[in-house]
Every structure is written in structure tokens, then in C-alpha cells.
Amino acid sequence: MTAVAAKYDEIKSLGAVVLAISIDSPFTHKVWQEGELSKMVPGGLPYPMLSDTGGRVGELYDVYDEDNGVDIRGRFLIDPDGILQAMEVLAPAVGRNVAEMIRQIKACQFVRQTGEATPAGWEPGKKSLQPGAELVGKVCDIWSPDMAF
Amino acid sequence: MAVKVGKPAPDFETNAYINGEIKKVKLSDYKGQWVMLYFYPGDFTFV
């Protein structure tokens, strides 16, 4: 969560907001924020910390672990129309890659703005693809796997 | 209802801790912006 905070200026500059959510109460969020997070990130986490009491929201997103009573590490990217554009769920002990999350925001925004498609490993400035009948069977002429890295 | 890419993200309302205050938050409050909804197992965990 603090890694997301460290990149929050870039996330904000993309017109995106982060909503962190766990089964903890708002009071627990406050204590964690003031007692620990603010020592890792000046001012604490800069985004809202939502309280999913009882895992009700986690159930809606299919990330509530009933056996342990917690929400597992699910990340959902929602576009300005409220449509889900990307999701990723990791095992509890595995942390996320914030750079990849930011890359996905940029790729989703590019696709939304241009109607084009972004091949594997796309970053801004890299080759995109114009979907259409002309491209069928021709991707190999304009794109190769080494361009993904 | 399962969540699917390309379909509406389920709306919800819940309490949130924001800038030192406790407020109600709805996902639909953020329409018009890109939202990264980040579930995590719990406060005071390590990852």
C-alpha cells in the first residue's frame, strides 16, 4: 500500500484515484495510518481507506476469503463509465507491482482514446495496432515478440 | 453476479477513512475518473 502511495503523484496525473479496501474498521485504518504508515510515507497514505466490514464488498468482487475472514489481494481497474477494464488477484503473501498497474492504466486510456490495441509489453511511445480485417495474419509483419521488452 | 472485464463494476457504499475523517463513500461517486480499487488482507500486515 505504501508503494502505491510512493507513486501516487503519477497515478493522479493520469486522472486516476486509488481506493484501498480491507475488512478493517475506519478506526483501525486511522490507527495504522497514524501509528505506522505515516512513518513510511510522509503524511500517511494519500488516498481513501475503505472499510469492508463483513466482507460484503469483497463478496461482490469475488475476493472475500470466508475461511480467514479477509479480502484477498484483488486489484480492479474501473474506467470513467464505471466499466471494469482490468483485474488481478494475487495470493495473500505476494505483493503487487505498482509499475505494472500504472502501465495498465496508460494502456487502457490509450485504447479508450484511440480505439487501437496495445500489444504485449506496450508502453507509451511503443507500436500500437489498428484492429481490423487488414491486420489479420499480418501482425508478424509489423510486430515481433522482442518489441514486448 | 460474477465480476467480468467489460461489464459494469458492482457499485457499493461503505465507510472510509479519508484525510483524518470518517465518511461514507460510494464507488459511483467516482464516475468520470479512473478508479483503482485495491483489496488487501488487513491493516498491520507486511506486504
Side-chain angles (χ1 to χ4, degrees):
Chain A
M1 307 313 305
T2 49
V4 176
K7 288 284 177 193
Y8 202 56
D9 283 346
E10 182 174 4
I11 295 167
K12 266 197 310 196
S13 75
L14 296 170
V17 294
V18 171
L19 303 177
I21 182 164
S22 74
I23 47 93
D24 299 285
S25 72
F27 307 107
T28 308
H29 287 329
K30 181 178 193 301
V31 172
W32 191 33
Q33 181 81 285
E34 290 174 354
E36 184 172 40
L37 295 172
S38 56
K39 293 172 187 156
M40 299 161 81
V41 179
L45 299 183
Y47 43 77
M49 299 171 78
L50 279 51
S51 177
D52 184 19
T53 318
R56 196 175 46 84
V57 182
E59 276 180 353
L60 280 177
Y61 285 80
D62 210 14
V63 292
Y64 182 62
D65 172 359
E66 285 178 5
D67 294 342
N68 295 301
V70 297
D71 288 326
I72 53 176
R73 245 174 252 287
R75 184 215 69 193
F76 298 84
L77 177 58
I78 300 159
D79 77 12
D81 298 320
I83 306 297
L84 184 60
Q85 294 294 345
M87 57 184 181
E88 173 188 74
V89 185
L90 297 179
V94 179
R96 294 176 262 226
N97 183 333
V98 178
E100 169 59 9
M101 178 195 101
I102 291 171
R103 190 197 71 84
Q104 287 182 16
I105 298 174
K106 290 175 179 171
C108 285
Q109 291 181 338
F110 180 86
V111 168
R112 182 180 167 96
Q113 280 155 14
T114 62
E116 295 183 13
T118 60
W122 181 89
E123 301 269 357
K126 279 192 170 185
K127 179 98 189 149
S128 56
L129 302 174
Q130 286 273 6
E134 318 83 71
L135 188 63
V136 175
K138 298 279 195 293
V139 173
C140 59
D141 295 340
I142 57 171
W143 191 82
S144 62
D146 59 294
M147 292 165 73
F149 304 103
Chain B
M1 193 192 77
V3 280
K4 277 190 186 161
V5 167
K7 300 286 182 200
D11 197 17
F12 58 83
E13 182 175 39
T14 188
N15 288 308
Y17 179 70
I18 308 176
N19 293 331
E21 290 179 56
I22 295 169
K23 290 182 187 167
K24 285 264 183 212
V25 160
K26 265 197 284 199
L27 178 63
S28 50
D29 294 343
Y30 294 90
K31 273 247 169 98
Q33 298 180 78
W34 290 82
V35 175
M36 187 63 67
L37 181 63
Y38 242 67
F39 289 89
Y40 65 101
D43 294 349
F44 301 103
T45 54
F46 312 106
V47 178

